[in-house]
Amino acid sequence: MSLTRLLVPVSLALLSACATQPKQNVTVEKQSQCPVQLHNGQNLILSLPSNPSTGYRWAIQDSAGGVLKALGPEVYRNPEDAGIVGAAGVSTWRFQAFAGGTGKLRLTYQQPWAPEVPPVETFECAISVN
């Protein structure tokens, strides 16, 4: 068998393997994007609207710790074009899938000094890792 005849099938197999690889990052910005299915090693980026100037903050109640690990703390950013003090922004968390299984990512939006007051918003997302 000639080298060219051998390279064609091997090249096609490598190209098809590359084409079926999952995206490294999966971004979730709305409850409607849940449930989320990840592959081991994939990153989940969760971005939720937030306005800390009102005293309200997102708090992680359940981090799907059996299947996800945090890659750092919450990062808050205010849109540059807002130009208004106290304008709402976005809070972002990064997680990485590290084990197969299922878990629940649950956050509540409330004032941290008033835990007895029900949260004004809850975000809940089922996570499945293969």
Side-chain angles (χ1 to χ4, degrees):
M1 184 179 269
S2 72
L3 183 60
T4 307
R5 286 186 149 193
L6 183 61
L7 283 177
V8 170
V10 170
S11 298
L12 288 174
L14 287 173
L15 282 174
S16 67
C18 290
T20 60
Q21 293 297 318
K23 297 184 297 186
Q24 186 60 24
N25 294 327
V26 174
T27 302
V28 174
E29 297 175 336
K30 300 176 202 163
Q31 183 89 35
S32 61
Q33 294 174 296
C34 294
V36 174
Q37 188 164 15
L38 302 170
H39 294 280
N40 204 358
Q42 269 188 309
N43 295 332
L44 172 67
I45 300 170
L46 174 62
S47 295
L48 298 174
S50 181
N51 191 346
S53 68
T54 63
Y56 286 89
R57 297 293 308 237
W58 285 103
I60 297 176
Q61 303 300 326
D62 190 345
S63 64
V67 295
L68 294 180
K69 66 179 174 181
L71 295 178
E74 169 191 3
V75 175
Y76 173 78
R77 65 179 162 76
N78 191 337
E80 294 175 17
D81 61 349
I84 301 170
V85 176
V90 175
S91 290
T92 301
W93 298 263
R94 294 176 54 87
F95 300 93
Q96 185 175 54
F98 74 93
T102 60
K104 186 182 295 185
L105 189 56
R106 184 173 176 271
L107 293 87
T108 55
Y109 193 61
Q110 63 192 109
Q111 294 173 323
W113 62 84
E116 71 283 353
V117 177
V120 294
E121 197 170 340
T122 300
F123 176 87
E124 195 168 299
C125 190
I127 307 292
S128 175
V129 178
N130 297 354

